[in-house]
């Protein structure tokens, strides 16, 4: 499995750069990943990341945009404003979770 150094931490990643170990994630890692993809973190970004990580712990898979909308209270339109073009994929990437099923 490939590894990368992100925010001073050696983490395991897959071929697309997504973290593969839930417990290797931290806010400093998310902040650096966000900067790398041009996302400036706000309280709404952090709220969604926290929700997504909790949902993943409960369900065992990364939520799709629709499930994020239904469970977090953040409408899809707002998700697109926070994470342009591919909100579910970018959110999972920053949250240190696998890419949601159905994302290309």
């Amino acid at each position: 499995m490939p590894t990368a150094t992100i925010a001073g931490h050696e983490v395991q990643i897959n071929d697309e750069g997504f973290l593969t170990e839930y417990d290797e994630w931290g806010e400093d890692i998310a902040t650096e990943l966000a900067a790398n993809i041009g996302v400036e973190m706000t309280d709404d970004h952090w709220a969604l990341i926290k929700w997504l990580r909790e949902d993943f712990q409960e369900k065992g898979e990364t939520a799709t945009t629709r499930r994020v909308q239904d469970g977090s209270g953040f409408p899809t339109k707002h998700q697109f404003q926070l994470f342009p073009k591919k909100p579910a994929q970018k959110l999972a990437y920053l949250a240190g979770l696998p890419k949601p099923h159905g994302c290309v």
Side-chain angles (χ1 to χ4, degrees):
M1 177 105 12
T3 61
T5 302
I6 304 169
H9 303 278
E10 187 80 14
V11 295
Q12 295 181 47
I13 58 171
N14 67 15
D15 293 338
E16 296 179 285
F18 285 80
L19 273 68
T20 59
E21 298 297 323
Y22 182 87
D23 293 328
E24 291 183 346
W25 179 88
E27 288 186 8
D28 55 340
I29 290 173
T31 300
E32 185 170 313
L33 292 173
N36 291 345
I37 63 171
V39 172
E40 188 174 325
M41 300 297 283
T42 66
D43 289 344
D44 283 352
H45 289 92
W46 289 117
L48 274 171
I49 287 173
K50 181 181 179 195
W51 182 89
L52 192 70
R53 288 184 58 83
E54 289 172 358
D55 182 76
F56 181 84
Q57 284 282 79
E58 182 181 314
K59 305 263 192 314
E61 66 181 15
T62 307
T64 60
T65 302
R66 180 171 293 180
R67 192 163 93 213
V68 172
Q69 174 180 274
D70 294 343
S72 72
F74 282 87
T76 301
K77 183 177 181 178
H78 191 52
Q79 292 176 55
F80 271 91
Q81 291 169 339
L82 294 170
F83 305 97
K85 297 183 182 171
K86 296 183 178 185
Q89 185 172 332
K90 288 180 179 180
L91 181 55
Y93 177 71
L94 298 181
L97 301 174
K99 186 166 63 171
H101 295 292
C103 282
V104 287

